[in-house]
Structures are given as structure tokens and as C-alpha cells.
Amino acid sequence: MYNLRVTGTEKVFQVGKVVCLGRNYSEHIRELGNEVPDRPVIFIKPATSIIGQSEKIVIPSYSRDCHHEVELAVLIGKTGKNISEDQAMEHVAGYGVAIDLTLRDVQSELKAKGLPWEVAKGFDTSCPLSGFVASDQVGNPHDLGIRLAVNGELRQDSTTACMMRRIPQMIREISAVFTLEEGDIILTGTPAGVGAIKSGDRLSAQIDGVGTLEVSVE
Ligand code: MG
């Protein structure tokens, strides 16, 4: 179970599920040699995958290639199903910084066989999250600088303006499949520059106007 609060508020959100969008930035699609999807690529990380600020990532022993993917995290504040794009933003309580850790070697093997990705994406510690800020404190969530550095070296440096699917569209499409409950989180995809991390590395992720997230690898 993972509980979080929006900075400056008292309400506690219990995270139920983390719904993630794949292939949402075109330069990242290109760097992995994937095709631009016409339908959204959606997968789920269980709440047990979440760690907080300053906690440690534990790379599972069955992988030799764990990648960082910095992503804007959207906190759902109001439960809904079949949410329209017009109403979507009313369901957003806040924003945070997330890292979608991915066992790229394991994922590639699963992809090639047409198998599900959870083993590569949903392992314990695979979802570091920052604190959250209220949505009304963030100007335009589709125009935020987003960066990730490993041991002080900048690896990912982009803007959420490059997201192909915007938040209202994601919420409409996701909520047509899964009821989005209060406390659920959406990860909105990663820009280019993903790469491997190893034991001892320090990761520092940042989204302008949202916050920073610092974690390290055990
Ligand atoms: Mg991702």
C-alpha cells in the first residue's frame, strides 16, 4: 500500500494502480525503433512497485539492462469511468515526477514473443515517485521542461509539449478500459534519451514547476 499527499493539503490518497502510457513521445519511439501506435499502448504497474524520494531501486537479478524513463505523473482525484475529454481535467488532483524503470532486455524478449510486459515493468521499486503538487499550482501541464540526470550527467532533456497524446485524451482512452479511481496515477510516457543504470548510480529527475525526484540504485 502506498499513500501520498498533495503538498500543502491534508488529504491522503491511497494509490490503487499506476496506469502507464507507452510510446507517447516520437523521438523516443524512434530511438527504440518502434512504430507510432494508432491505439494507445497501455500497461499497469502495481502499487507495490512504488518507492518514494531518496529510496533505493533494486534491479532484479534476472536483468542485465535496467533503463530509466522520466515521466510526468498525473494523480487522479475523482473516480470515473468513460470520462469525456471535456471533463477529464476535473479528475486531475495533482502532478508529480515519476521514473518508469524498465528491464529493457526482458521487455525486448517479451515483446518479440508477444507476451505481457509486467515482469519487465512492474517489479518492486520500478516506480519511483516524487511528492505531488496540486493541479491548480501547475500552469500548462503540456508545456513543462522534463529532465533526468544520472550521476550529474544529463541523459533526458525535453518538454511535455512533445507528448503526442495529451492528458484529456489519455484519461478518456484509459477510463474506457479501467475505472480510474481516486488515488490512481497515470504515467504519461517518456521522451528520448533512455539508458541503462547500474548499482551505485544516483538518478535525479526534474519537471519544471512540479518538482524533483532523487533516488539511487542499490
Ligand atoms: Mg515509460
Side-chain angles (χ1 to χ4, degrees):
M1 198 196 303
Y2 192 86
N3 292 329
L4 59 83
R5 282 190 309 120
V6 173
T7 303
T9 66
E10 291 306 313
K11 186 177 167 61
V12 175
F13 291 92
Q14 187 179 325
V15 182
K17 57 186 174 292
V18 182
V19 185
C20 308
L21 209 66
R23 301 183 199 170
N24 201 29
Y25 287 76
S26 55
E27 345 89 89
H28 172 61
I29 293 175
R30 256 179 263 121
E31 75 179 344
L32 292 186
N34 286 317
E35 279 170 28
V36 176
D38 46 0
R39 281 197 274 173
V41 175
I42 297 171
F43 59 93
I44 287 181
K45 288 178 188 265
T48 45
S49 67
I50 301 171
I51 57 172
Q53 196 72 258
S54 303
E55 292 198 79
K56 296 240 184 212
I57 298 162
V58 180
I59 301 173
S61 57
Y62 55 85
S63 173
R64 290 279 159 276
D65 194 23
C66 180
H67 277 199
H68 55 77
E69 298 187 352
V70 63
E71 312 205 359
L72 175 68
V74 176
L75 173 65
I76 298 297
K78 187 171 106 178
T79 297
K81 166 95 181 150
N82 292 322
I83 301 165
S84 69
E85 290 189 28
D86 284 350
Q87 306 211 306
M89 298 310 266
E90 295 169 23
H91 290 258
V92 177
Y95 297 99
V97 183
I99 305 175
D100 167 19
L101 291 165
T102 304
L103 307 175
R104 195 70 69 199
D105 49 352
V106 177
Q107 186 199 28
S108 298
E109 212 177 306
L110 295 168
K111 260 194 211 167
K113 293 179 180 163
L115 294 170
W117 295 356
E118 279 74 8
V119 173
K121 288 279 202 180
F123 59 92
D124 289 356
T125 77
S126 65
C127 189
L129 286 181
S130 72
F132 279 72
V133 292
S135 46
D136 59 13
Q137 302 296 305
V138 175
N140 177 1
H142 301 106
D143 188 21
L144 305 171
I146 179 168
R147 286 173 291 280
L148 181 138
V150 179
N151 303 325
E153 181 198 328
L154 193 60
R155 297 263 191 97
Q156 295 187 269
D157 185 10
S158 185
T159 158
T160 59
C162 295
M163 293 197 296
M164 294 186 296
R165 280 188 155 73
R166 300 282 159 129
I167 295 162
Q169 185 181 355
M170 292 174 206
I171 289 177
R172 172 175 61 78
E173 290 174 328
I174 291 168
S175 72
V177 181
F178 308 107
T179 296
L180 281 173
E181 296 182 290
E182 177 186 294
D184 285 348
I185 286 170
I186 298 174
L187 301 194
T188 56
T190 196
V194 301
I197 54 171
K198 58 179 190 324
S199 180
D201 282 350
R202 289 173 294 106
L203 282 67
S204 174
Q206 185 179 47
I207 299 178
D208 295 335
V210 172
T212 57
L213 169 62
E214 314 261 352
V215 285
S216 58
V217 187
E218 187 167 271

